[in-house]
């Protein structure tokens, strides 16, 4: 099978899918493999010529009878061993080359599948980043590339979360040791940290896209607060799902919730002041004379503060999750992560039920 052509290499705008970055390395390995095969063939050819020349010398056909005496005197089994080694090296090289080609073909098929899923999601209206609104506002291609990359990353993130939820549920039912359970809990915490990092990068590309929650389902957007869940409200959902809590644990959770509410209120007030400032900047001067670019240009710099609001909101969410192992036992924390994941699963299922509901015609 010939290696797939360069047209199947993952585009840079979607280049976070790690296996496709290895294509350049595989090409170098393929070249090294071909060189190895060529070297092996050269050794065989030289050995064959030496044997023929030695044989001709023994019959007196060459003018220098002592030229290859040393080579002709080598033991026959040594030559055979060298030939066998050459054949084995060539065989291994062919196997490696075949494996590289198969990996390239597998990566190509995965890329095609991802592109199909992304196109289908766009057609269904699940993802709308980089669409007509972005084009109308004149966002650059790098913005659309960043959002497209985030959409792909988030799709993989949801798939991984579903797998982690299944592992947590199985582990809790099997009553595994606390040490094993702690590993699953840490993986779950790291997974949410990965999401916050992804959102920070996406906010740099298009902060309005992140804050509007267009990367989420419709029912999740109904509960949206600055691009994500509201930590204080989520604590109300999780606490009834946990095992029996001590008075001290309830006291700590109550304090945590109050701290979350204070931080949320401060950010919400900051958002209101920013909205007022931007509105005053845009409405400054005389209206009714068309768009005045010079007048509204300062608003662009003011809107840069939105990126900071998204990061601060995610910081509150992250710190709330990090407080769970401090307040709860390891099994209670695992139960909390499981309940949190199932809650988001149900919200996504609610969106599907809503979109599939029978619509009455008037």
């Amino acid at each position: 099978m010939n290696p797939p052509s360069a047209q199947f290499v993952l585009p840079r705008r979607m280049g976070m899918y790690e296996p496709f970055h290895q294509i350049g390395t595989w090409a170098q390995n393929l070249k090294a493999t071909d060189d190895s095969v060529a070297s092996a063939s050269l050794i065989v050819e030289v050995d064959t010529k030496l044997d023929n020349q030695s044989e001709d010398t023994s019959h007196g056909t060459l003018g220098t009878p002592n030229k290859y005496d040393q080579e002709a005197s080598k033991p026959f089994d040594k030559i055979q061993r060298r030939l066998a080694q050459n054949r084995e090296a060539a065989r291994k090289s062919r196997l490696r080359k075949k494996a590289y080609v198969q990996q390239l073909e597998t990566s190509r098929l995965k890329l095609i599948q991802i592109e199909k899923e992304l196109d289908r999601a766009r057609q269904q209206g699940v993802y709308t980043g980089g669409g007509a609104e972005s084009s109308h506002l004149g966002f650059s291609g790098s913005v659309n590339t960043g959002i497209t990359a985030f959409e792909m990353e988030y799709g993989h993130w949801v798939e991984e979360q579903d797998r982690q939820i299944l592992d947590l549920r199985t582990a809790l039912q099997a009553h595994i040791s606390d040490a094993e359970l702690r590993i699953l809990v840490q993986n779950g915490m790291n997974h949410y940290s990965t999401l916050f990092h992804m959102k920070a990068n996406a906010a740099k590309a298009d902060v309005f896209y992140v804050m509007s929650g267009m990367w989420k389902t419709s029912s999740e957007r109904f509960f949206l607060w600055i691009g994500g869940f509201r930590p204080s409200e989520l604590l109300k959902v999780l606490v009834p799902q946990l095992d029996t809590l001590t008075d001290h644990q309830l006291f700590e959770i109550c304090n945590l919730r109050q701290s979350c509410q204070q931080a949320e209120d401060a950010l919400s007030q900051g958002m209101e002041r920013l909205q007022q400032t931007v509105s005053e900047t845009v409405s400054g001067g005389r209206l009714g004379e068309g768009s005045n670019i010079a007048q509204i240009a300062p608003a662009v710099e003011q809107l840069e503060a939105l990126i900071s609001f998204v990061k601060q909101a995610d910081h509150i969410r992250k710190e709330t999750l990090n407080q769970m192992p401090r307040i709860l036992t390891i099994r209670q924390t695992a139960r909390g992560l499981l309940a949190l994941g199932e809650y988001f699963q149900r919200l996504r299922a609610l969106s599907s039920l809503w979109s599939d509901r029978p619509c009455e015609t008037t």
Side-chain angles (χ1 to χ4, degrees), residues 217 219 343-355:
T217 59
S219 58
Y343 175 72
F344 291 135
Q345 281 183 332
R346 293 180 181 182
L347 284 180
R348 290 192 289 268
L350 179 60
S351 294
S352 299
L353 292 175
W354 172 257
S355 60

Side-chain angles (χ1 to χ4, degrees), residues 6-294:
Q7 63 178 326
F8 300 119
V9 177
L10 184 68
R12 293 184 178 272
R13 66 182 181 85
M14 301 168 60
M16 357 105 21
Y17 196 67
E18 187 60 26
F20 302 101
H21 287 298
Q22 299 175 355
I23 291 179
T25 303
W26 291 337
Q28 295 176 0
N29 291 335
L30 287 175
K31 183 178 182 302
T33 300
D34 293 338
D35 293 342
S36 175
V37 175
S39 299
S41 302
L42 182 59
I43 294 175
V44 174
E45 181 180 353
V46 171
D47 287 340
T48 304
K49 289 183 178 179
L50 289 174
D51 291 341
N52 294 337
Q53 291 176 358
S54 299
E55 182 178 355
D56 292 341
T57 302
S58 63
H59 288 81
T61 57
L62 295 178
T64 55
N66 296 326
K67 186 176 181 180
Y68 300 111
D69 287 349
Q70 185 177 0
E71 182 68 22
S73 62
K74 288 183 178 180
F76 181 75
D77 58 343
K78 185 176 182 180
I79 297 176
Q80 292 296 322
R81 185 166 58 253
R82 178 182 294 181
L83 295 175
Q85 290 174 351
N86 293 341
R87 288 193 295 269
E88 179 65 17
R91 186 185 68 85
K92 290 182 178 180
S93 296
R94 289 193 298 271
L95 290 176
R96 286 195 298 269
K97 184 174 182 179
K98 182 178 180 181
Y100 294 147
V101 172
Q102 289 177 345
Q103 288 177 334
L104 289 173
E105 180 65 16
T106 301
S107 299
R108 183 183 70 85
L109 294 176
K110 287 182 178 180
L111 175 59
I112 293 175
Q113 181 64 27
I114 291 173
E115 290 177 342
K116 288 182 179 179
E117 292 177 356
L118 183 57
D119 290 339
R120 183 167 57 251
R122 289 184 183 278
Q123 292 173 2
Q124 294 175 351
V126 177
Y127 301 126
T128 59
E133 182 180 1
S134 297
S135 300
H136 177 69
L137 294 177
F139 290 145
S140 63
S142 60
V143 171
N144 293 333
T145 300
I147 296 304
T148 301
F150 174 77
E151 290 176 352
M152 292 181 61
E153 284 182 332
Y154 182 68
H156 293 308
W157 188 91
V158 172
E159 293 177 357
E160 176 62 20
Q161 187 189 42
D162 291 340
R163 188 190 65 79
Q164 290 188 1
I165 291 173
L166 180 60
D167 290 343
L168 276 174
R169 186 183 301 114
T170 303
L172 289 172
Q173 293 174 351
H175 302 287
I176 65 175
S177 65
D178 288 353
E180 294 174 307
L181 199 58
R182 186 171 284 104
I183 296 176
L184 296 178
V185 168
Q186 188 60 49
N187 290 338
M189 294 293 185
N190 293 339
H191 195 52
Y192 280 104
S193 296
T194 300
L195 175 61
F196 300 143
H197 179 71
M198 289 162 45
K199 288 172 61 182
N201 291 334
K204 295 177 183 178
D206 185 359
V207 67
F208 292 107
Y209 169 84
V210 176
M211 292 191 64
S212 63
M214 297 308 297
W215 45 282
K216 286 181 171 289
T217 59
S218 55
S219 58
E220 288 177 297
R221 293 198 298 270
F222 181 67
F223 298 96
L224 198 68
W225 175 74
I226 312 182
F229 59 84
R230 188 182 288 270
S232 60
E233 293 298 323
L234 204 59
L235 287 174
K236 291 195 301 183
V237 175
L238 293 182
V239 171
Q241 304 298 325
L242 302 177
D243 298 332
T244 303
L245 298 172
T246 64
D247 292 339
H248 178 70
Q249 287 176 322
L250 290 173
F251 176 77
E252 291 287 338
I253 292 176
C254 181
N255 287 339
L256 177 60
R257 185 183 172 195
Q258 290 179 352
S259 298
C260 289
Q261 287 179 330
Q262 293 174 359
E264 292 165 9
D265 291 342
L267 277 183
S268 297
Q269 292 173 5
M271 286 283 294
E272 292 177 359
R273 288 194 294 269
L274 179 61
Q275 288 176 338
Q276 182 178 358
T277 301
V278 174
S279 177
E280 291 174 353
T281 301
V282 173
S283 62
R286 297 182 59 181
L287 297 177
E289 297 180 352
S291 299
N292 189 336
I293 301 300

Side-chain angles (χ1 to χ4, degrees), residues 354-362:
W354 172 257
S355 60
D356 295 339
R357 75 191 190 285
C359 298
E360 296 182 359
T361 58
T362 56

